[in-house]
Amino acid sequence: MDWSWLVVQDVMPKMLAGLVITIQATFGGAILAYALGLLLAILKMSKNKPLAFSVYWSSEFVRRTPLLVQLYFLFYVLPDFGIFLEPMTAGIIGLGLHFSTYTSEVFRAGIENVPKGQWEAAKSLNYTPYKTMRYVILPQAIPPMIPPLANYLITMFKETPLLSAITVVELFNSASIYSNSNYKYLEPMTLVGVFFLLVSIPAAIIANRLEQKYKPEKVR
Amino acid sequence: MNKIIEFQDVSKSFGSLQVLENLNMHVNSGEKLALIGPSGSGKTTILRILMTLEKIDGGVVKVDGDYLWHQKIGDKLEPASEKHLHKMRKNICMVFQQFNLFPHLTVLNNIVQPQILIKGVDKVDASNKAEELLALVGLEGKESHYPHQLSGGQQQRVAIARALAMDPKIMLFDEVTSALDPELVEEVLSVLRQLAENTNTTMLTVTHEMNFARDFADRVLFFEHGRIIESGPPDIMFTNPKESRTRDFLKNFIGGI
């Protein structure tokens, strides 16, 4: 089989459009995963034991089941209950929900690493629980969380081809559709790999830098 | 004299360890009180109860005439809501053994932020007050430093300034020099002595520095196993205590007195 630049030329515009969708899905999912993850982390640490317990187990449930199944559920099963989601919406919710269970562990560990004395000082100054979290705890907890959160962003990016299962025409699916209709697999699939590498290698380098930057525990 | 703090039959246990046993005590408004005694005798627990960091198991605590850990609903005493505790904490502030400054904020902002967020002071007034207080504790020029750039003694003085900025009626000092290198202890104690002399704020200090307790306090309470063994003015407590247990305890510090 010979490499054909004509095929490359032909498929490229479709794949660039797919790449845009991939990036949108990644960032959409990441924003949801971070916001929801922080919320889950706070709920898991709640003093209300039944609440903390049920949040913990539901997030374990989501974490221990495959993302692909969850995507099917959101897109193909929910309509049976009268809930119809656009493919992209379902994809972002699926990615965000699934990865929020991972990021919530990052947030929880980060928050728990802030010394107890900080909570007590805030209470002594009469900070409300909200102000304590917002102005005292999170500003100290977030910097060390940045490297693992950046790594989850890269992982989410690499998981986006799963969205092709629910008809999202992201990078992989755009290539796949072309391949299946033209019986040309070499160029499109090679390009998919190249595109993923082009994004994820620089991203990994940035994540590594962040890790170096935030790694040494600052002297207190 | 007006009693600003009252403990009535207060009990507190940690698991099976009873730290306070039917404790009754009071503190007069403006009084400077030193709590002394062996480790684990419940002194720090008293401060932590007042700061609402530890709940009580039995009895009642009153601060400024109002119940601290309870609130009256009709005729009944109910456990205090978070809202009630928030209201009660307005009058009280604590300085900790480990300073607990906010490491992500500059010295100035450590003192400014709580004023803005909690007391609703505007930024200019809050900064002016912070500068004034930093001068009071001898730390002019350190405004833009971060806590980790300061010595322990300096950090503790910032923590004292931060507490003062809240204008509490009651200040609690929990072994504020115990985490310091010996040569840094005096700079913190002299700030406290100066405060004790020049303010009407009610102050409670838990300390192992007996010389300081003598200078600082109007009254000294000696604790053992969660009970007050003896209390009195420092002149009497340190020179002529009635109880043999007080004498035994103070013997260990005789070199320092």
Side-chain angles (χ1 to χ4, degrees):
Chain A
M1 199 172 201
D2 289 323
W3 180 270
S4 154
W5 288 104
L6 273 175
V7 172
V8 172
Q9 213 177 2
D10 203 16
V11 75
M12 192 58 99
K14 298 180 179 69
M15 288 190 63
L16 285 174
L19 181 65
V20 172
I21 299 291
T22 289
I23 288 169
Q24 284 171 345
T26 306
F27 281 101
I31 288 165
L32 185 61
Y34 295 157
L36 195 60
L38 178 59
L39 181 70
L40 288 177
I42 290 170
L43 293 178
K44 277 190 216 171
M45 289 183 290
S46 163
K47 278 184 200 148
N48 182 339
K49 290 285 174 237
L51 177 71
F53 185 82
S54 46
V55 172
Y56 174 81
W57 281 108
S58 12
S59 93
E60 278 298 290
F61 175 75
V62 173
R63 186 147 71 130
R64 305 293 174 201
T65 47
L67 175 56
L68 185 59
V69 178
Q70 289 158 13
L71 290 171
Y72 261 71
F73 219 90
L74 286 167
F75 190 65
Y76 294 113
V77 179
L78 284 187
D80 291 348
F81 299 93
I83 301 167
F84 296 88
L85 298 172
E86 290 292 316
M88 186 65 165
T89 313
I92 286 174
I93 292 174
L95 271 177
L97 188 68
H98 189 80
F99 279 91
S100 71
T101 63
Y102 289 89
T103 59
S104 76
E105 285 303 299
V106 175
F107 284 114
R108 194 177 58 82
I111 290 168
E112 283 180 351
N113 276 338
V114 176
K116 193 169 141 242
Q118 294 293 310
W119 296 86
E120 294 190 342
K123 200 172 218 183
S124 154
L125 296 163
N126 211 6
Y127 281 46
T128 58
Y130 169 76
K131 283 176 180 165
T132 302
M133 197 48 102
R134 164 84 177 72
Y135 295 101
V136 178
I137 305 302
L138 288 182
Q140 297 179 55
I142 285 177
M145 294 175 189
I146 290 173
L149 291 181
N151 277 318
Y152 278 125
L153 183 68
I154 298 170
T155 309
M156 289 175 76
F157 173 68
K158 284 193 300 172
E159 295 294 324
T160 49
L162 286 175
L163 303 195
S164 65
I166 55 167
T167 76
V168 176
V169 187
E170 43 63 63
L171 180 60
F172 166 75
N173 206 12
S174 62
S176 166
I177 290 168
Y178 180 90
S179 296
N180 291 333
S181 44
N182 297 284
Y183 303 104
K184 300 275 183 200
Y185 289 91
L186 175 65
E187 298 83 358
M189 289 305 136
T190 309
L191 285 176
V192 170
V194 169
F195 271 116
F196 271 99
L197 281 178
L198 282 180
V199 178
S200 63
I201 288 178
I205 290 170
I206 292 168
N208 237 321
R209 292 246 171 95
L210 290 172
E211 211 155 321
Q212 292 309 320
K213 187 174 169 191
Y214 292 109
K215 199 186 201 171
E217 184 53 356
K218 275 193 201 128
V219 190
R220 283 244 157 78
Chain B
M1 257 236 204
N2 165 30
K3 291 176 184 173
I4 195 164
I5 299 171
E6 278 179 88
F7 278 60
Q8 297 170 359
D9 292 321
V10 173
S11 306
K12 172 72 188 173
S13 303
F14 293 111
S16 60
L17 178 73
Q18 183 149 35
V19 222
L20 298 179
E21 202 185 324
N22 297 325
L23 178 75
N24 285 285
M25 62 173 266
H26 72 270
V27 185
N28 293 320
S29 185
E31 199 173 20
K32 313 292 183 271
L33 203 68
L35 284 66
I36 62 169
S39 302
S41 58
K43 312 173 302 272
T44 290
T45 307
I46 289 172
L47 300 196
R48 292 176 59 82
I49 286 171
L50 283 168
M51 196 61 260
T52 72
L53 298 171
E54 302 287 355
K55 283 183 184 159
I56 55 175
D57 300 333
V60 294
V61 177
K62 280 182 166 182
V63 172
D64 215 7
D66 204 347
Y67 293 101
L68 179 66
W69 278 107
H70 298 86
Q71 56 195 125
K72 235 180 174 143
I73 295 170
D75 285 344
K76 276 171 100 184
L77 272 189
E78 301 282 344
S81 64
E82 181 53 42
K83 198 178 155 201
H84 178 76
L85 292 172
H86 185 74
K87 189 189 92 186
M88 295 303 287
R89 278 195 287 262
K90 276 182 191 155
N91 295 323
I92 311 171
C93 201
M94 181 151 165
V95 180
F96 298 85
Q97 186 177 344
Q98 301 293 345
F99 335 130
N100 296 344
L101 291 177
F102 300 143
H104 58 295
L105 299 179
T106 61
V107 165
L108 190 77
N109 281 334
N110 260 279
I111 307 173
V112 166
Q113 191 193 66
Q115 292 185 69
I116 295 176
L117 288 180
I118 310 307
K119 295 183 59 109
V121 178
D122 78 57
K123 203 173 173 190
V124 177
D125 290 348
S127 300
N128 287 340
K129 182 155 190 178
E131 302 267 4
E132 246 169 62
L133 290 169
L134 282 172
L136 182 77
V137 299
L139 289 172
E140 307 98 323
K142 300 287 185 193
E143 288 82 357
S144 56
H145 286 59
Y146 281 88
H148 71 90
Q149 297 171 308
L150 303 181
S151 73
Q154 290 171 328
Q155 290 189 52
Q156 193 58 293
R157 285 185 280 154
V158 175
I160 292 168
R162 181 173 71 171
L164 284 169
M166 304 309 280
D167 292 319
K169 288 185 188 166
I170 300 167
M171 289 184 83
L172 310 170
F173 299 98
D174 182 21
E175 301 198 28
V176 291
T177 58
S178 297
L180 298 177
D181 293 334
E183 72 271 20
L184 302 176
V185 168
E186 196 43 46
E187 63 187 62
V188 173
L189 294 185
S190 72
V191 165
L192 292 184
R193 282 195 192 94
Q194 197 189 326
L195 279 181
E197 232 166 82
N198 300 326
T199 67
N200 297 325
T201 312
T202 307
M203 296 183 179
L204 278 70
T205 181
V206 169
T207 184
H208 294 292
E209 301 281 341
M210 295 305 148
N211 275 323
F212 163 69
R214 187 157 63 177
D215 301 342
F216 174 89
D218 302 319
R219 190 153 58 100
V220 177
L221 266 59
F222 173 66
F223 277 84
E224 209 177 59
H225 304 305
R227 274 181 294 188
I228 301 171
I229 303 300
E230 187 172 358
S231 81
D235 298 346
I236 293 171
M237 286 292 282
F238 289 117
T239 51
N240 195 12
K242 286 192 294 261
E243 299 289 331
S244 63
R245 275 180 289 180
T246 317
R247 278 197 294 275
D248 288 346
F249 174 74
L250 288 172
K251 239 185 245 162
N252 302 323
F253 292 94
I254 216 83
I257 293 175

